[in-house]
Amino acid sequence: MGDSNYSKAYIQTLIDELKTSKIYTDLQCAAQVEIAKPTLRLSELKKGVLNGLVNSGWDRKLRNAIYRFLQTHPKLQFPSPPPEHLKEPLVFLRKAQQAWEKRILKSLNSMCTDLNIPLARKRPEKEQKEWAQKWTELGIDGPVHFEKTEPKDASVKDLSQFRPVYAPKDFLEVIIGLQNPNYHGSDTPGFYHLWGIVQVPLKVKDIDELRLQYSDMSINQCQSGIDDAQDIPSELFEQERVKLGKKVINTNHGPLAQEFSKKGCPTSMRATLWCQILAVELDEIDILYYEQLKTNVLQHDLLVDSLLYKDVKLTATNDDQYFVFEDFLYQVLLPFSRDTYVLNHFDYNSASPPKSYIRGRLGMDEFAVNYPPNGVIPFHGFAMYVAPMCFLYKETITLYYVFREMYVRYFFRLHSISSHPQGIVGLSLLFESLLQTHESDLFFHLKSVGCQPLKVAFKWLVRAFSGYLSSDQVLLLWDRVLAYNSLEILAVLAVAIFSFRKTNLMKVQSYNAAEAVLADLTTLQVIPLIQLSLFSK
Amino acid sequence: MDKSVLLNNFETRGWVPVGPDDDWNFYWANVQSIRNVFSIDCGFRLTDDQVISHFPNHVELTRKDLMVKNIKRYRKDLDKEGNPLAEKDENGRYIHLDFIPQTFMLPADYNLFVEEFRKNPNTTWIMKPCGKARGVGIFLVNKLSQLKKWSRDSKTSNFTPPTSKDTYVISKYIDNPLLIGGKKFDLRLYVLVTSFRPLKCYLFRLGFARFCTVKYNASINELDNMFVHLTNVSIQKQGDDYNNVHGGKWTVQNLRLFLEGTRGKEVTDRLFDEMQWQIVHSLKAVAGGISNDRHCFECYGYDIIIDDNLKPWLIEVNASPSLTSTTSSDRIMKYKLINDVINIVIPPGQVPDVRWNKIPAKEHLGNFDVLYDEELAQQDVMGGDPRKLGPGTFRGKRDGSRPSPATWK
């Protein structure tokens, strides 16, 4: 491995990680099988074994494992930075994130004391059995006592008392308040003041860099989602695309699937392609692990469960595209909150898992636990990260692992404060700067009637447009997020939508009117919009 | 009946409502009034500038027992003439024409039913009264004792034919419906017919799936729970979990997206093709018997259930599909439905004239696609190579600007 892009330490970490994973033992077993073959000659032992492994597809599997590692472990500089810097290099943002987390945890704890419900409790035997039976139908009763004959007491949860811990607009207020202490922000001229509401001067890409990055989406390239529509003869694009897609899927190679998806995934291949890009391949261990998570849900009841349940009821159940999948959402979200694998992503997430203490041992570190076990406190709309994927996977277990991977790679960035260019702060700034540069009259007009564009677009970004666009469009958009390994396309789309509705937006005279123009996005076709916005100036 | 969807469409066109004794051009009738218009005693002849929204004897298609009778007869006829469509497999079941669940008329076919039931005693059957709608009077049967009443009726030897109030159809219950999110659903598709001979029918693209609010449970104990089994909105509306935002309705586009994503494109295409082809055959089955009055058109509501082998089953056809709206997207869809129906039946801007050729221009189709236009299909036959009966693709638009489909099974 003479690749000079990766330092020795990085490669060593990669090797160490591979050695501890299942693929190592599998490879050893496969190599032993190869050695036992009678056709193998002693003089060519190493070559023979290697060839045998390659021929039986182990080469590909190893490549996929390495690819997965590369995707989740960014290259480190030398000397390697301290761990807090990996999470977030800018101190003031780190502090802001910590302050925000304190607020959330405080809110959660006070809800706890107000409603007199423990953060976690062990379920009685009987309740566990009931939950096991109703596991696939949680949409009906949810985390309330199923025995309707028992008198209602304080422990029976009345969902109306639960409020989501925070909503995107609360988060936006925090972001608006971010100030780099090295600058004087003020309205007097000569002082640094950004035009939009995000006042953190992070470096974001400009349109030329975006054009380069998304060059496979340019107008002269056929795309899934436009050029394979029903009224276009399939010989022009669709047939070739499907043929190519089948070949790509058969090679089972992550980078190849990713490259192919840059022009979008044909609907019937999307599920497999996403699995390959995310390197989600289920084996018996994964199935057991999910069962273990499910058992955790059955045994212990967390306050977070009620929050998740309420969130689903507020969002997906009321959505005419996703209400069908309500029960699946519980089967994914409840185990998710118990999954400690998710804690790993906090190494590169500016956020940190909230800590709670065993009853009576407040402040004593030996009795601190992560709460919830996966460290992620859901907010209003969290369930919508899962909902569009229900169109792809009808087994909950595959759905679970794909969602988990999507979360620890992309979605976490949408609700934590960080300087990462794809973090929500970066995306907001990208949105504002693109809009200011390319639709300055629109930006100025909206600002002058009291509508900062980000205030409308923010909720789209936080949810990655789930629930705002129609389901097939969300999937096409997320194809590109995966294929280009970047969330920046969300900001590009937001700008494109403002451009598209510019005529009406220029006529509005109030914030509410602007919001009304942008309220219904379900008729939009995202790919042509993005193409127009990026490539037709 | 909530008529707002109709009235809005009429008002937008500047039409003038008239009273029962005045002259009229366009009559959106209910089933009762149709009987009056075409009755032998008090009916009247329609003039060339009058169109009415039902065919006189639409019951041939829309009454459960008559539909079954007509389809069975149609299949037998095709079989007799040796048509390849009527091919049967080794069990005697039709391969291409098996689109209604096995059905018997009660009390007339009681004995035949019993014979069939005894062959497979563990099956469930569904009893539906012939003359009712909206899920009223339906119940599930899994024991012969539940049908004591009809057993007695069939043994009496009086010859008075049972009225439609007393007759039931009993069909094999589809106990393996395709479930999505664990819930059962059925499909409502709207089909506009402007003529039966030659057959001209159009399929509305914005159909929807109606979901049961309660999880599907095939256990015997739940047979009585109509919320589990019947998807009629009027029944589901009374359930605790009924949601007013979406009304348990899913668009056909979402259904298609889900099936393509989870099952693959080929089987999904095949499913949708098969549904369209079933609709055409059901219409062809009654085409001979319906009086093809050229003043008439009709917008049918087709109810189809898909089983988990992705095979569609035609359950019934409604002559007066409900036009009341349960949600706002529902209202918009039904408005578009009526709008497009009127535009197809009467070319926009004109007074109805029943002598026109009934070939609507492409831009008037709106959200309808041409399902089958027999006249145009025959023109193609004469013009080009003879069309073989083969697997069809009904995506009419694929063939360029000609509205008729290329081949069909």
Side-chain angles (χ1 to χ4, degrees), chain A residues 9-10 14 123 134 184 238 285 344 358 384 405-406 481 498:
Chain A
Y10 186 80
L14 167 58
R123 282 192 226 276
K134 300 263 181 175
H184 268 297
E238 190 181 0
I285 295 189
N344 293 336
I358 307 278
M384 296 305 281
E405 206 53 41
M406 284 287 276
V481 168
F498 272 75

Side-chain angles (χ1 to χ4, degrees), chain B residues 254-307:
Chain B
N254 275 325
L255 175 66
R256 214 197 168 110
L257 179 67
F258 177 79
L259 289 176
E260 273 189 31
T262 54
R263 300 256 194 160
K265 193 154 182 354
E266 291 84 25
V267 295
T268 308
D269 284 346
R270 209 182 11 239
L271 166 68
F272 278 83
D273 281 349
E274 210 179 324
M275 283 197 285
Q276 292 170 351
W277 162 85
Q278 286 185 358
I279 295 175
V280 171
H281 273 284
S282 68
L283 291 171
K284 282 195 141 286
V286 300
I290 293 214
S291 29
N292 193 35
D293 191 324
R294 59 185 186 171
H295 303 90
C296 302
F297 68 91
E298 203 152 15
C299 180
Y300 296 107
Y302 269 73
D303 290 343
I304 294 180
I305 286 195
I306 306 175
D307 72 17

